[in-house]
Amino acid sequence: PSALLGKKAAAPAAKQSAPKGGVQAAALVKPPNKVPPRRTDALYKEWSVEEVCSWCSEIVRKEGIPGEVAILSAMQEHAIKGSHLVMLSPLLLREELSFGALGHRLTFLQARDKLVAQDQGASAVDRAKDTARMIENLSQSVKTLTLKLEEMVS
């Protein structure tokens, strides 16, 4: 009928395959360009599901891993938080989180390992800074006590 009026018929909307949970991916995940940012000051272990999805979206796009919407949907469906990232395996990525090719799974795990190493380095630096502050405070305390003892003796 719309052809008779000189208008093109609207193209049917592309269907997305539903993840294992049966809910369409688009219903669970915000559009990829709307994934909320993650806290850059927080260690990955403290990330929420949304922050993990933000990081995952960056990696998937940067590395050209297909299936971003399905992957993010599965991460949300399975409530993957930052503390869970180190537990992911190639099998879990394929079976539960909608990653396809082994190469894509390995690329994702390399990015995860790099993230973990960066955070471990940051943790070591923070511990060293804390130790230096503690030594400085102790040094100040010793100086103060020394002055007080000298006053008492004099």
Side-chain angles (χ1 to χ4, degrees):
S2 58
L4 298 174
L5 299 173
K7 297 179 182 176
K8 288 185 179 180
K15 286 189 172 184
Q16 291 190 2
S17 62
K20 291 180 182 175
V23 180
Q24 285 198 337
L28 292 175
V29 178
K30 295 177 179 155
N33 61 351
K34 301 282 188 187
V35 174
R38 69 180 190 281
R39 298 172 292 165
T40 55
D41 62 336
L43 297 175
Y44 77 91
K45 290 179 186 177
E46 299 169 359
W47 287 353
S48 66
V49 172
E50 291 76 21
E51 288 168 315
V52 168
C53 286
S54 175
W55 175 80
C56 182
S57 178
E58 289 175 28
I59 298 305
V60 165
R61 288 177 182 194
K62 177 182 168 196
E63 300 297 339
I65 297 171
E68 179 181 15
V69 172
I71 290 168
L72 296 179
S73 175
M75 290 229 169
Q76 286 186 341
E77 178 183 342
H78 293 290
I80 303 298
K81 298 185 291 186
S83 59
H84 300 140
L85 287 174
V86 294
M87 299 176 205
L88 297 178
S89 67
L91 181 64
L92 283 174
L93 291 176
R94 184 186 72 209
E95 298 295 322
E96 301 295 337
L97 298 177
S98 302
F99 281 79
L102 176 61
H104 295 142
R105 289 179 268 149
L106 295 175
T107 297
F108 180 84
L109 292 174
Q110 283 178 326
R112 186 268 323 263
D113 292 346
K114 183 177 177 183
L115 173 71
V116 169
Q118 286 172 342
D119 273 6
Q120 287 174 343
S123 295
V125 168
D126 288 342
R127 284 193 305 272
K129 287 179 181 177
D130 288 344
T131 301
R133 273 191 274 273
M134 187 171 56
I135 291 170
E136 180 62 32
N137 289 340
L138 286 171
S139 176
Q140 290 297 332
S141 296
V142 168
K143 286 178 186 176
T144 302
L145 287 172
T146 302
L147 289 173
K148 287 183 179 182
L149 283 172
E150 287 175 357
E151 286 176 9
M152 291 172 63
V153 171
S154 340

